[in-house]
Amino acid sequence: MLKKEVEKILQYVQKPARYAGGELNSVVKSPDAVDVRFAFCFPDLYEIGMSHLGMKILYSLINSLDYAWCERVFAPDHDMEEQMRANDIGLYGLESGDYIRDFDIIGFTLMYEMAYTNVLNMLDLAGLPIRAGERRGLTPIVCVGGACACNIEPMADFIDLAFLGDGEVSVPLVCDLLRRCKKEGKDKQEFLRLASRIEGVYVPSFYTVTYHDDGTVKAVAPQDGAPFPVRKSIVPDMDKCFYPESFVVPYIDVVHDRAVEEIFRGCIRGCRFCQACFLYRPIREKSVETINEQAKKLIETTGYDEISLFSLSSSDYSQSEEMLDSLLDWTCDAHINLALPSLRVDNFSDSLVEKINRVRRAGLTFAPEAGTQRLRDVINKNITEEEILTTCARAFNNGWTSVKLYFMMGLPTETMEDIEGIAKLAQKVVDTFYHCENRQKGASVSVSVSCASFIPKPFTPFQWEAEDSMQSLEEKQKHLLACCTSKKIRISYHQTPTSLLEGVFARGDRRLCDVIETAYRLGCTFDAWDDHFQFPLWQQAFEKCGIDPEFYTKRKRDFSEVLPWDHLDYGVSRKFFECEAAKAYRGETTPHCRVQCAGCGANKLNGGNCDAR
């Protein structure tokens, strides 16, 4: 229930429903009936956070514990923040309206490095010190999870612990531990010591980092018996893994306003630029029966008329034909749209097209990633131009008139010829449309080309690579625009200053904590949004802290260098990454997991078993 002071200010902000709560399926408990109160914070706007599957899963999981209550918290937009600060209103949970500074755990999910200043701002809005060392009591415990936890070093000074891997395993264990520590009167240090023994829990304060004179990491040493390395937690059996029976249904439009069913976790492909592919290994699939039952339940409890099948590559599900038949048996009759994102061009079959045609058709998106076959082999994309054009022809002959193609720019070994290849491939897709006899007559084709800037990420074969400079990326962007002459091709690309910062924090170390705090103090928040991003203030922050951002971006690392995240274990071996990096420069590809096991090591996390084989 909202406090009266909050109700009074909602009339002065845009989209007050972001801050009101009370949505269908939100969970309300009595504070007196629980031992642990958990604030699940998403460091971005409501519309973004309410689309995030991880938040939906953990929100329901924590609330399934009789002793815990999880509430949702989102970053207020600038208009709401201004009202909150002017009226001395602290950050609060949407379910109760209570200030989160009084909660036991404040957890942030971090999927993007450009959200880091929002974490600091939300802690400050809550009335808490942003530095972990200044928060003295046992509670609140400030923790993080998500993809960025794989190298949380640039945020190490602000958090108490990080969840590595599948939170369904480790989050309930930490909640239970905190409940016991509260009852036994233990202090924060003792709680953190015990928490660090839980698989998938990383406590940065228990690890000392030393540096060489050249600024590279010399060593990361565990203290107080902390584990080394820290291994991520995984759910071994997705059929037995917790999954919500309902989602909170927002009152306003959000980015992905639909039911979502996760069909498997992990990826068989091994694209060398892709962090998610390696972070979420090994492959673990749900059965067709589980998918069907969970999808039905979500539709019943939410009232949605669309359900999206979630994974890193939907068409790589090993029983895709059976799964789609099972789902279409009831979704078509109930007029429920079935969305299949993340399709691959090399398994977009006629039978898959026939099944997609039975539901509401949306635009098709494919990801060639590179414009030439040479560069696609370097990044291990394992698709050919012929497969791309054949897939597009199949789509055009079945009624589609628009295709979106995703590419990356700034990849290792990339040349201007590879950039020209993007334009040439897009033009070939346009030409393919007009060569299709069964295309929609009288219709025109639309090809959207989206180019992301390549950012080397931890736990990938390209984690040692130098990042392309802003100047080089801008030259390539201009060259691509000059190479595209057809009005049927639309080009979009990322802003280069944002890519620079993302690259710095993706592979950064603890010395960047001062930079992030300085930038926040200067006024940087919502850095992922172009209309809020203030690059000059970031430049000022780096200068004030005496840190050169190009140390983290332009410098190619040697295999012998200690990387800031080397003490964390996500299952895939460092040796495998080194071998894949060497193969990239030889232009050699590695078959995907179902063709041949490449020995990445991830199956050790699942008792030596790997569904992908």
Side-chain angles (χ1 to χ4, degrees), residues 283-301:
I283 285 277
R284 289 146 292 153
E285 293 187 343
K286 290 180 183 177
S287 67
V288 172
E289 293 74 22
T290 298
I291 292 169
N292 204 39
E293 291 171 8
Q294 291 178 349
K296 276 184 179 179
K297 193 66 177 180
L298 285 173
I299 293 299
E300 291 171 1
T301 58

Side-chain angles (χ1 to χ4, degrees), residues 406-427:
Y406 279 115
F407 294 91
M408 303 195 81
M409 189 176 286
L411 289 161
T413 78
E414 184 178 76
T415 66
M416 284 300 184
E417 184 178 341
D418 298 307
I419 300 300
E420 293 167 16
I422 296 174
K424 290 178 180 178
L425 182 55
Q427 185 59 53

Side-chain angles (χ1 to χ4, degrees), residues 358-563:
R358 291 175 59 187
V359 297
R360 188 169 75 242
R361 180 182 296 157
L364 284 177
T365 300
F366 298 112
E369 306 294 2
T372 63
Q373 191 60 49
R374 182 200 70 82
L375 192 53
R376 283 193 292 275
D377 290 343
V378 168
I379 64 176
N380 202 47
K381 189 62 186 178
N382 276 324
I383 57 172
T384 65
E385 182 176 289
E386 181 182 358
E387 287 174 321
I388 296 168
L389 298 179
T390 298
T391 294
C392 289
R394 182 175 288 121
F396 296 148
N397 276 321
N398 280 275
W400 276 276
T401 60
S402 65
V403 173
K404 187 168 187 177
L405 302 175
Y406 279 115
F407 294 91
M408 303 195 81
M409 189 176 286
L411 289 161
T413 78
E414 184 178 76
T415 66
M416 284 300 184
E417 184 178 341
D418 298 307
I419 300 300
E420 293 167 16
I422 296 174
K424 290 178 180 178
L425 182 55
Q427 185 59 53
K428 287 179 181 179
V429 173
V430 171
D431 296 340
T432 297
F433 176 82
Y434 292 104
H435 291 148
C436 290
E437 294 183 0
N438 296 323
R439 71 179 187 274
Q440 271 194 40
K441 303 305 179 185
S444 180
V445 67
S446 172
V447 177
S448 299
V449 172
S450 177
C451 284
S453 300
F454 166 67
I455 310 295
K457 296 275 187 172
F459 297 102
T460 69
F462 290 156
Q463 63 184 350
W464 294 278
E465 294 295 325
E467 183 180 336
D468 214 352
S469 68
M470 288 196 296
Q471 180 182 356
S472 174
L473 287 170
E474 288 168 358
E475 290 173 356
K476 291 174 180 178
Q477 290 166 354
K478 290 177 182 177
H479 188 61
L480 177 60
L481 290 173
C483 290
C484 282
T485 56
S486 173
K487 292 183 179 180
K488 294 175 172 56
I489 301 172
R490 187 172 71 252
I491 307 288
S492 62
Y493 46 78
H494 286 185
Q495 297 298 314
T496 54
T498 308
S499 300
L500 169 71
L501 283 186
E502 183 184 344
V504 170
F505 297 125
R507 296 186 293 171
D509 52 50
R510 296 187 183 187
R511 291 170 297 184
L512 292 172
C513 293
D514 291 340
V515 176
I516 293 171
E517 180 175 357
T518 302
Y520 165 66
R521 301 292 184 194
L522 290 171
C524 292
T525 55
F526 285 100
D527 299 298
W529 296 80
D530 290 342
D531 54 341
H532 295 308
F533 182 56
Q534 302 180 78
F535 189 52
L537 294 185
W538 277 102
Q539 291 175 305
Q540 187 178 337
F542 279 106
E543 187 174 344
K544 275 191 172 185
C545 296
I547 290 179
D548 181 3
E550 292 187 352
F551 172 80
Y552 299 97
T553 56
K554 280 192 174 181
R555 187 176 58 86
K556 183 168 181 174
R557 283 78 164 159
D558 189 82
F559 286 160
S560 63
E561 181 174 331
V562 176
L563 302 175

Side-chain angles (χ1 to χ4, degrees), residues 61-77:
L61 173 59
I62 297 167
N63 280 319
S64 72
L65 306 173
D66 56 9
Y67 63 83
W69 182 14
C70 182
E71 301 189 42
R72 295 162 298 132
V73 186
F74 302 94
D77 207 348

Side-chain angles (χ1 to χ4, degrees), residues 131-239:
R131 294 267 176 172
E134 297 173 7
R135 299 189 295 267
R136 303 296 184 184
L138 171 60
T139 61
I141 298 295
V142 175
C143 55
V144 298
C148 291
C150 76
N151 180 30
I152 202 62
E153 297 304 287
M155 291 286 286
D157 290 350
F158 310 117
I159 68 169
D160 295 307
L161 61 86
F163 293 104
L164 312 183
D166 296 336
E168 296 97 328
V169 176
S170 52
V171 169
L173 295 176
V174 168
C175 289
D176 182 62
L177 173 64
L178 184 59
R179 175 176 64 156
R180 288 187 279 113
C181 286
K182 286 176 64 179
K183 289 180 178 179
E184 295 168 10
K186 297 186 185 298
D187 61 16
K188 177 175 286 189
Q189 194 69 7
E190 178 63 10
F191 164 77
L192 292 176
R193 188 185 67 81
L194 295 170
S196 70
R197 272 57 172 180
I198 297 173
E199 187 162 86
V201 174
Y202 169 50
V203 181
S205 60
F206 289 165
Y207 298 82
T208 302
V209 184
T210 54
Y211 301 90
H212 292 292
D213 291 339
D214 64 0
T216 58
V217 175
K218 182 177 182 180
V220 179
Q223 309 296 322
D224 197 24
F228 190 90
V230 185
R231 177 178 286 188
K232 77 168 184 177
S233 60
I234 74 158
V235 171
D237 187 341
M238 291 300 291
D239 280 340

Side-chain angles (χ1 to χ4, degrees), residues 91-111:
L91 198 63
Y92 59 90
L94 286 185
E95 279 70 15
S96 67
D98 293 341
Y99 295 140
I100 68 169
R101 61 172 173 256
D102 299 320
F103 283 31
D104 299 297
I105 300 177
I106 298 175
F108 292 89
T109 185
L110 291 177
M111 304 305 295

